[in-house]
Amino acid sequence: MTIRAATFADERQIARICLLTGADGGDATGQFTDDAVLADVFAVPYLRGPGCVALVWDVEGQARGYVLAAADTSAFQAWFSNEWWPSRRHREAHTPGDAWLLPSAADPKRCLNAAVADYPAHLHIDLLPDQQGKGAGRRLIDAMCEALRGSGVPGVHLVASAANRGALAFYPRVGFNEIARDATTVTFARDLV
Ligand SMILES: CC(C)(COP(=O)(O)OP(=O)(O)OC[C@H]1O[C@@H](n2cnc3c(N)ncnc32)[C@H](O)[C@@H]1OP(=O)(O)O)[C@@H](O)C(=O)NCCC(=O)NCCS
């Protein structure tokens, strides 16, 4: 097992991991008209967007987990809204999952929450079930925080589903503090300076 930078060759596997962990930590297959849409919002753009850092948890040459970050959330959001999302073809909502995700993805302020001012980077982390609970998540978070710190980023945040009990237990154990909460989400942040 090793942590390495993601390459475009990892894209399909990263998208698969995103789908298999995308329902509050569980399998989101079938929740959307197109199984690719979740990764087109939360994973694949981090291989291409400005200021993005993508690391994978590599097991015998295959990505089995990842941590993906945008160092400058405002720049990432501008690129996502102006270039990335218009290039995708997910438009019509047919399922409850689509009805939640598609308007959110089209919102030009989706990532621009109150945390961005003090914690300009944001991240996503997911591991396939057989890699969970063995310390890989902690190692990925530490590697990502080190990379962001090395680029001069003062802080990183993330937004987790309030229904994802595993995630809510994990982040405080790896250096994140809860900074905001609403009915459906919890925002965590970590200083990097
Ligand atoms: C959440 C996730 C990234 C955590 O990674 P992990 O490798 O399983 O976590 P680690 O083994 O590194 O655990 C680190 C610490 O968090 C704790 N922790 C992790 N998952 C936990 C859980 N489900 N319940 C309670 N504590 C948990 C561990 O006990 C450990 O604490 P300690 O070191 O103080 O003893 C991983 O389980 C995962 O990918 N889950 C499914 C997808 C997901 O929910 N992603 C987050 C979306 S916001």
Side-chain angles (χ1 to χ4, degrees):
M1 277 97 69
T2 183
I3 293 173
R4 62 170 171 80
T7 72
F8 291 131
D10 297 307
E11 181 174 317
R12 283 186 64 174
Q13 180 66 1
I14 286 172
R16 180 171 167 266
I17 296 165
C18 181
L19 181 65
L20 293 177
T21 57
D24 296 332
D27 188 353
T29 302
Q31 290 195 2
F32 307 95
T33 300
D34 181 348
D35 275 340
V37 67
L38 203 61
D40 274 347
V41 177
F42 295 113
V44 175
Y46 296 83
L47 293 175
R48 294 185 164 78
C52 286
V53 183
L55 305 175
V56 295
W57 180 247
D58 183 307
V59 181
E60 296 176 355
Q62 186 185 54
R64 308 285 293 170
Y66 58 68
V67 59
L68 309 169
D72 178 342
T73 296
S74 298
F76 175 83
Q77 180 65 65
W79 168 82
F80 185 98
S81 293
N82 295 329
E83 297 181 43
W84 176 257
W85 192 244
S87 76
R88 303 294 92 190
R89 306 219 174 272
H90 312 292
R91 292 293 173 271
E92 293 185 19
H94 300 290
T95 70
D98 295 337
W100 157 71
L101 183 58
L102 297 185
S104 172
D107 178 358
K109 295 184 175 171
R110 178 176 61 92
C111 297
L112 303 183
N113 58 46
V116 174
D118 291 331
Y119 307 94
H122 74 272
L123 65 76
H124 299 284
I125 181 168
D126 293 302
L127 291 155
L128 288 175
D130 70 344
Q131 300 300 314
Q132 295 171 14
K134 302 175 181 173
R138 180 184 290 282
R139 287 182 57 189
L140 283 168
I141 289 287
D142 286 348
M144 179 57 78
C145 286
E146 199 52 44
L148 293 172
R149 187 182 294 115
S151 300
V153 179
V156 59
H157 74 277
L158 64 97
V159 180
S161 165
N164 188 339
R165 291 184 170 207
L168 300 195
F170 169 70
Y171 293 114
R173 308 296 300 180
V174 295
F176 284 77
N177 295 314
E178 179 180 328
I179 60 166
R181 180 185 285 258
D182 62 24
T184 56
T185 65
V186 181
T187 303
F188 291 93
R190 176 170 158 172
D191 283 313
L192 298 174
V193 288

